[in-house]
Amino acid sequence: MAAGGLAVAAAVLVSAVVGTGAPGGTPADREAARSGPGAAAGRPASATEPGAEPRPEKCADGSNPAESLKPSGASGKAVERIKKKDKLVVGVDQNSYLWGYRDPSTGTIEGFDIDLVKAIARDLLGKGGADRVVYRTIPTDQRVPAIQSGDVDMVVRTMTINCSRRAQVAFSTAYFQAGQQLVVPKKHARVKGFDSSMRGKHVCYASGSTAEKMMKSPAYAALGARPVVVPNQLDCLVRMQLGEADATVTDSALGAGQAAQDPSVELVGEPETLEPYGVAMNLEDEDLVRRVNKVLEDYREHKWKSSYDRWLADDMMGTEGKKPAPPEPLYRD
């Protein structure tokens, strides 16, 4: 995103009450899908029918894409590579308020994702490891190429684990879950939900995102929205502020960040999907995947809640369940 666009979007960095509409299905169904053990496996990364209770995604081999390798504290080839160069190169976002964003007063990148990056760095590089992280800000559609090319050791950037991505990169176990949801202006919203109100309206989403995948699927494409595709999800907030988009489709977690930045917009309806976020790494770096999963075991128990309370508690408003907790890890070996 251009610096000018970020300045427009970041002009109001205040907390806002995030609006939600009536849930689909029974309250019990919704709560069961959003919380409790194994919640990360409850919904697919791409819904198939607007408004329907989504079913779990399964990959071609019948597995859940959120299944990862069992944790290990061993140092293999990838871990030793990072230790030898004495730095951890991580692809992050600098535009997602609360998750990975550049604080205009300090110039440093902060947020929920960044807290996890620092925990991983301390484990790999020792007590001062958090100071030896090289942050590389990358747009949504460059996350996978950056990993495959070796430009980064990993990506920690609200990246949804799904079947198509799992074939390209390796993922840790899930550390958060969200879902695709609508962000609209609070006043005079022209889009009311994933329904006929979308027809002919300009609906914004990021290139390479799961929102794009969902909106291009047959059932959602049939709603007749006019796509506005941008490099980063925060660009959609700017487009709405300028009157160039009627609504944004993005992860509920990121939508809550947009509403916190700009109190003139709000989340509406219910999430259409489950988006389990994972740390993405190169397929060849299995020892690094296991090491990150080892870090996540401790992080879930001792650090996740404090990071959540610092960054997200005031603005999430139940998008991740009534009792915020990290998803239970799933393993395939």
Side-chain angles (χ1 to χ4, degrees):
M1 178 178 182
L6 180 58
V8 173
V12 188
L13 295 180
V14 297
S15 294
V17 175
V18 179
T20 57
T26 67
D29 289 340
R30 283 289 180 181
E31 180 59 25
R34 290 191 295 188
S35 60
R43 296 184 179 186
S46 183
T48 56
E49 183 180 346
E53 191 69 20
R55 299 198 178 273
E57 180 179 24
K58 287 186 178 181
C59 300
D61 60 1
S63 65
N64 185 318
E67 295 171 353
S68 185
L69 300 174
K70 286 184 178 179
S72 170
S75 296
K77 183 178 179 181
V79 172
E80 288 300 326
R81 180 189 72 225
I82 293 167
K83 288 183 176 182
K84 184 176 181 179
K85 64 184 180 182
D86 198 32
K87 64 182 179 180
L88 178 66
V89 184
V90 186
V92 298
D93 197 354
Q94 65 175 351
N95 295 333
S96 291
Y97 184 50
L98 307 178
W99 290 87
Y101 76 103
R102 195 175 295 279
D103 186 326
S105 65
T106 65
T108 60
I109 296 178
E110 299 181 343
F112 187 82
D113 277 345
I114 307 307
D115 282 357
L116 176 56
V117 170
K118 292 177 179 178
I120 295 170
R122 291 187 191 100
D123 179 80
L124 294 172
L125 301 174
K127 187 175 180 180
D131 297 323
R132 296 198 293 280
V133 177
V134 176
Y135 295 104
R136 293 196 175 163
T137 58
I138 52 178
T140 303
D141 62 0
Q142 292 302 306
R143 293 176 296 189
V144 169
I147 295 168
Q148 292 178 327
S149 66
D151 287 345
V152 298
D153 296 310
M154 61 185 62
V155 167
V156 185
R157 193 187 180 284
T158 59
M159 189 167 178
T160 300
I161 307 167
N162 61 33
C163 296
S164 60
R165 288 175 180 165
R166 197 181 75 172
Q168 301 173 297
V169 297
F171 282 101
S172 70
T173 51
Y175 64 87
F176 198 86
Q177 67 174 42
Q180 292 302 313
Q181 198 165 351
L182 279 171
V183 180
V184 300
K186 281 186 177 180
K187 295 182 178 179
H188 312 299
R190 303 178 70 199
V191 175
K192 310 297 183 183
F194 291 95
D195 53 31
S196 59
S197 68
M198 276 193 171
R199 187 162 299 280
K201 307 302 191 302
H202 290 92
V203 176
C204 188
Y205 44 81
S207 174
S209 66
T210 46
E212 180 181 43
K213 178 181 177 182
M214 185 182 81
M215 292 303 294
K216 286 185 174 181
S217 67
Y220 286 83
L223 296 174
R226 300 175 67 181
V228 178
V229 185
V230 296
N232 292 299
Q233 59 87 24
L234 189 64
D235 294 318
C236 287
L237 177 59
V238 179
R239 294 297 183 97
M240 287 197 298
Q241 290 170 333
L242 297 175
E244 297 174 358
D246 299 302
T248 292
V249 181
T250 190
D251 296 6
S252 54
L254 299 178
Q258 290 189 11
Q261 284 180 269
D262 184 350
S264 72
V265 303
E266 64 181 349
L267 284 164
V268 295
E270 284 287 321
E272 294 283 298
T273 64
L274 172 73
E275 307 287 336
Y277 294 164
V279 178
M281 292 155 278
N282 194 286
L283 285 170
E284 296 181 356
D285 292 347
E286 291 192 2
D287 65 302
L288 184 59
V289 175
R290 294 184 188 276
R291 186 68 172 259
V292 170
N293 284 339
K294 182 70 174 177
V295 174
L296 282 170
E297 279 196 327
D298 178 76
Y299 196 81
R300 290 185 185 95
E301 184 176 355
H302 298 111
K303 300 175 183 177
W304 189 96
K305 185 63 164 56
S306 61
S307 182
Y308 178 92
D309 288 344
R310 179 184 180 189
W311 297 110
L312 307 178
D314 290 342
D315 299 293
M316 292 305 297
M317 295 298 290
T319 61
E320 75 307 325
K322 290 183 179 180
K323 295 181 179 180
E328 293 287 337
L330 302 175
Y331 301 109
R332 65 174 182 267
D333 63 347

PDB file of all heavy atoms in Angstrom, residues 93-109:
ATOM      1  N   ASP A  93       3.160  -7.954   7.790  1.00  0.00           N
ATOM      2  CA  ASP A  93       2.374  -6.842   7.279  1.00  0.00           C
ATOM      3  C   ASP A  93       2.730  -5.596   8.085  1.00  0.00           C
ATOM      4  O   ASP A  93       3.099  -5.695   9.253  1.00  0.00           O
ATOM      5  CB  ASP A  93       0.882  -7.147   7.427  1.00  0.00           C
ATOM      6  CG  ASP A  93       0.000  -6.262   6.561  1.00  0.00           C
ATOM      7  OD1 ASP A  93       0.540  -5.332   5.916  1.00  0.00           O
ATOM      8  OD2 ASP A  93      -1.216  -6.492   6.539  1.00  0.00           O
ATOM      9  N   GLN A  94       2.609  -4.431   7.470  1.00  0.00           N
ATOM     10  CA  GLN A  94       2.787  -3.186   8.207  1.00  0.00           C
ATOM     11  C   GLN A  94       1.525  -2.326   8.161  1.00  0.00           C
ATOM     12  O   GLN A  94       1.520  -1.199   8.636  1.00  0.00           O
ATOM     13  CB  GLN A  94       3.963  -2.387   7.648  1.00  0.00           C
ATOM     14  CG  GLN A  94       3.774  -1.877   6.223  1.00  0.00           C
ATOM     15  CD  GLN A  94       4.908  -0.992   5.769  1.00  0.00           C
ATOM     16  OE1 GLN A  94       5.773  -0.601   6.549  1.00  0.00           O
ATOM     17  NE2 GLN A  94       4.923  -0.653   4.475  1.00  0.00           N
ATOM     18  N   ASN A  95       0.461  -2.884   7.599  1.00  0.00           N
ATOM     19  CA  ASN A  95      -0.763  -2.117   7.399  1.00  0.00           C
ATOM     20  C   ASN A  95      -1.983  -2.660   8.127  1.00  0.00           C
ATOM     21  O   ASN A  95      -3.067  -2.079   8.008  1.00  0.00           O
ATOM     22  CB  ASN A  95      -1.100  -2.044   5.905  1.00  0.00           C
ATOM     23  CG  ASN A  95      -0.073  -1.274   5.103  1.00  0.00           C
ATOM     24  OD1 ASN A  95       0.603  -0.407   5.634  1.00  0.00           O
ATOM     25  ND2 ASN A  95       0.055  -1.612   3.831  1.00  0.00           N
ATOM     26  N   SER A  96      -1.853  -3.770   8.832  1.00  0.00           N
ATOM     27  CA  SER A  96      -3.002  -4.373   9.506  1.00  0.00           C
ATOM     28  C   SER A  96      -2.992  -3.989  10.982  1.00  0.00           C
ATOM     29  O   SER A  96      -2.298  -4.605  11.802  1.00  0.00           O
ATOM     30  CB  SER A  96      -2.989  -5.900   9.351  1.00  0.00           C
ATOM     31  OG  SER A  96      -3.243  -6.246   8.006  1.00  0.00           O
ATOM     32  N   TYR A  97      -3.771  -2.983  11.309  1.00  0.00           N
ATOM     33  CA  TYR A  97      -3.831  -2.458  12.674  1.00  0.00           C
ATOM     34  C   TYR A  97      -4.182  -3.578  13.645  1.00  0.00           C
ATOM     35  O   TYR A  97      -5.067  -4.391  13.375  1.00  0.00           O
ATOM     36  CB  TYR A  97      -4.864  -1.341  12.742  1.00  0.00           C
ATOM     37  CG  TYR A  97      -4.956  -0.639  14.068  1.00  0.00           C
ATOM     38  CD1 TYR A  97      -3.815  -0.151  14.698  1.00  0.00           C
ATOM     39  CD2 TYR A  97      -6.173  -0.453  14.695  1.00  0.00           C
ATOM     40  CE1 TYR A  97      -3.891   0.499  15.916  1.00  0.00           C
ATOM     41  CE2 TYR A  97      -6.271   0.198  15.915  1.00  0.00           C
ATOM     42  CZ  TYR A  97      -5.120   0.672  16.519  1.00  0.00           C
ATOM     43  OH  TYR A  97      -5.205   1.311  17.733  1.00  0.00           O
ATOM     44  N   LEU A  98      -3.466  -3.635  14.737  1.00  0.00           N
ATOM     45  CA  LEU A  98      -3.584  -4.622  15.816  1.00  0.00           C
ATOM     46  C   LEU A  98      -2.820  -5.908  15.525  1.00  0.00           C
ATOM     47  O   LEU A  98      -2.460  -6.628  16.453  1.00  0.00           O
ATOM     48  CB  LEU A  98      -5.046  -4.980  16.137  1.00  0.00           C
ATOM     49  CG  LEU A  98      -5.996  -3.823  16.429  1.00  0.00           C
ATOM     50  CD1 LEU A  98      -7.399  -4.361  16.666  1.00  0.00           C
ATOM     51  CD2 LEU A  98      -5.527  -3.038  17.644  1.00  0.00           C
ATOM     52  N   TRP A  99      -2.550  -6.207  14.266  1.00  0.00           N
ATOM     53  CA  TRP A  99      -1.915  -7.476  13.897  1.00  0.00           C
ATOM     54  C   TRP A  99      -0.446  -7.296  13.527  1.00  0.00           C
ATOM     55  O   TRP A  99       0.433  -7.883  14.135  1.00  0.00           O
ATOM     56  CB  TRP A  99      -2.697  -8.132  12.753  1.00  0.00           C
ATOM     57  CG  TRP A  99      -4.011  -8.623  13.225  1.00  0.00           C
ATOM     58  CD1 TRP A  99      -5.184  -7.921  13.296  1.00  0.00           C
ATOM     59  CD2 TRP A  99      -4.285  -9.908  13.774  1.00  0.00           C
ATOM     60  NE1 TRP A  99      -6.171  -8.713  13.845  1.00  0.00           N
ATOM     61  CE2 TRP A  99      -5.646  -9.929  14.141  1.00  0.00           C
ATOM     62  CE3 TRP A  99      -3.516 -11.053  13.986  1.00  0.00           C
ATOM     63  CZ2 TRP A  99      -6.235 -11.055  14.718  1.00  0.00           C
ATOM     64  CZ3 TRP A  99      -4.106 -12.168  14.545  1.00  0.00           C
ATOM     65  CH2 TRP A  99      -5.455 -12.162  14.904  1.00  0.00           C
ATOM     66  N   GLY A 100      -0.192  -6.506  12.492  1.00  0.00           N
ATOM     67  CA  GLY A 100       1.158  -6.156  12.091  1.00  0.00           C
ATOM     68  C   GLY A 100       1.081  -4.780  11.469  1.00  0.00           C
ATOM     69  O   GLY A 100       0.647  -4.647  10.333  1.00  0.00           O
ATOM     70  N   TYR A 101       1.474  -3.752  12.210  1.00  0.00           N
ATOM     71  CA  TYR A 101       1.357  -2.388  11.694  1.00  0.00           C
ATOM     72  C   TYR A 101       2.498  -1.543  12.231  1.00  0.00           C
ATOM     73  O   TYR A 101       3.072  -1.824  13.278  1.00  0.00           O
ATOM     74  CB  TYR A 101       0.009  -1.764  12.079  1.00  0.00           C
ATOM     75  CG  TYR A 101      -0.094  -1.325  13.520  1.00  0.00           C
ATOM     76  CD1 TYR A 101       0.004   0.026  13.875  1.00  0.00           C
ATOM     77  CD2 TYR A 101      -0.276  -2.260  14.547  1.00  0.00           C
ATOM     78  CE1 TYR A 101      -0.086   0.432  15.198  1.00  0.00           C
ATOM     79  CE2 TYR A 101      -0.374  -1.858  15.871  1.00  0.00           C
ATOM     80  CZ  TYR A 101      -0.268  -0.514  16.193  1.00  0.00           C
ATOM     81  OH  TYR A 101      -0.353  -0.118  17.510  1.00  0.00           O
ATOM     82  N   ARG A 102       2.841  -0.512  11.483  1.00  0.00           N
ATOM     83  CA  ARG A 102       3.937   0.366  11.874  1.00  0.00           C
ATOM     84  C   ARG A 102       3.379   1.503  12.724  1.00  0.00           C
ATOM     85  O   ARG A 102       2.577   2.310  12.253  1.00  0.00           O
ATOM     86  CB  ARG A 102       4.649   0.916  10.642  1.00  0.00           C
ATOM     87  CG  ARG A 102       6.007   1.542  10.953  1.00  0.00           C
ATOM     88  CD  ARG A 102       6.730   1.954   9.680  1.00  0.00           C
ATOM     89  NE  ARG A 102       7.089   0.817   8.844  1.00  0.00           N
ATOM     90  CZ  ARG A 102       8.148   0.041   9.025  1.00  0.00           C
ATOM     91  NH1 ARG A 102       8.964   0.252  10.047  1.00  0.00           N
ATOM     92  NH2 ARG A 102       8.406  -0.961   8.192  1.00  0.00           N
ATOM     93  N   ASP A 103       3.815   1.554  13.962  1.00  0.00           N
ATOM     94  CA  ASP A 103       3.372   2.612  14.863  1.00  0.00           C
ATOM     95  C   ASP A 103       3.928   3.945  14.357  1.00  0.00           C
ATOM     96  O   ASP A 103       5.138   4.122  14.279  1.00  0.00           O
ATOM     97  CB  ASP A 103       3.889   2.334  16.276  1.00  0.00           C
ATOM     98  CG  ASP A 103       3.356   3.304  17.325  1.00  0.00           C
ATOM     99  OD1 ASP A 103       3.156   4.490  16.984  1.00  0.00           O
ATOM    100  OD2 ASP A 103       3.145   2.885  18.472  1.00  0.00           O
ATOM    101  N   PRO A 104       3.042   4.896  13.995  1.00  0.00           N
ATOM    102  CA  PRO A 104       3.537   6.152  13.425  1.00  0.00           C
ATOM    103  C   PRO A 104       4.378   6.978  14.388  1.00  0.00           C
ATOM    104  O   PRO A 104       5.182   7.806  13.960  1.00  0.00           O
ATOM    105  CB  PRO A 104       2.250   6.896  13.043  1.00  0.00           C
ATOM    106  CG  PRO A 104       1.185   6.295  13.898  1.00  0.00           C
ATOM    107  CD  PRO A 104       1.573   4.867  14.073  1.00  0.00           C
ATOM    108  N   SER A 105       4.219   6.752  15.694  1.00  0.00           N
ATOM    109  CA  SER A 105       4.974   7.545  16.671  1.00  0.00           C
ATOM    110  C   SER A 105       6.380   7.018  16.909  1.00  0.00           C
ATOM    111  O   SER A 105       7.277   7.755  17.303  1.00  0.00           O
ATOM    112  CB  SER A 105       4.226   7.608  18.000  1.00  0.00           C
ATOM    113  OG  SER A 105       4.126   6.320  18.589  1.00  0.00           O
ATOM    114  N   THR A 106       6.590   5.710  16.658  1.00  0.00           N
ATOM    115  CA  THR A 106       7.904   5.104  16.913  1.00  0.00           C
ATOM    116  C   THR A 106       8.579   4.557  15.663  1.00  0.00           C
ATOM    117  O   THR A 106       9.787   4.342  15.647  1.00  0.00           O
ATOM    118  CB  THR A 106       7.776   3.959  17.935  1.00  0.00           C
ATOM    119  OG1 THR A 106       6.970   2.908  17.357  1.00  0.00           O
ATOM    120  CG2 THR A 106       7.131   4.445  19.225  1.00  0.00           C
ATOM    121  N   GLY A 107       7.775   4.278  14.633  1.00  0.00           N
ATOM    122  CA  GLY A 107       8.312   3.682  13.416  1.00  0.00           C
ATOM    123  C   GLY A 107       8.520   2.185  13.506  1.00  0.00           C
ATOM    124  O   GLY A 107       8.942   1.555  12.538  1.00  0.00           O
ATOM    125  N   THR A 108       8.227   1.582  14.661  1.00  0.00           N
ATOM    126  CA  THR A 108       8.409   0.148  14.840  1.00  0.00           C
ATOM    127  C   THR A 108       7.151  -0.613  14.423  1.00  0.00           C
ATOM    128  O   THR A 108       6.039  -0.080  14.477  1.00  0.00           O
ATOM    129  CB  THR A 108       8.739  -0.194  16.296  1.00  0.00           C
ATOM    130  OG1 THR A 108       7.658   0.246  17.140  1.00  0.00           O
ATOM    131  CG2 THR A 108      10.023   0.495  16.723  1.00  0.00           C
ATOM    132  N   ILE A 109       7.341  -1.862  14.009  1.00  0.00           N
ATOM    133  CA  ILE A 109       6.219  -2.718  13.633  1.00  0.00           C
ATOM    134  C   ILE A 109       5.757  -3.478  14.872  1.00  0.00           C
ATOM    135  O   ILE A 109       6.562  -4.094  15.570  1.00  0.00           O
ATOM    136  CB  ILE A 109       6.614  -3.686  12.506  1.00  0.00           C
ATOM    137  CG1 ILE A 109       6.963  -2.897  11.241  1.00  0.00           C
ATOM    138  CG2 ILE A 109       5.495  -4.664  12.209  1.00  0.00           C
ATOM    139  CD1 ILE A 109       7.423  -3.753  10.078  1.00  0.00           C
TER     140      ILE A 109
END
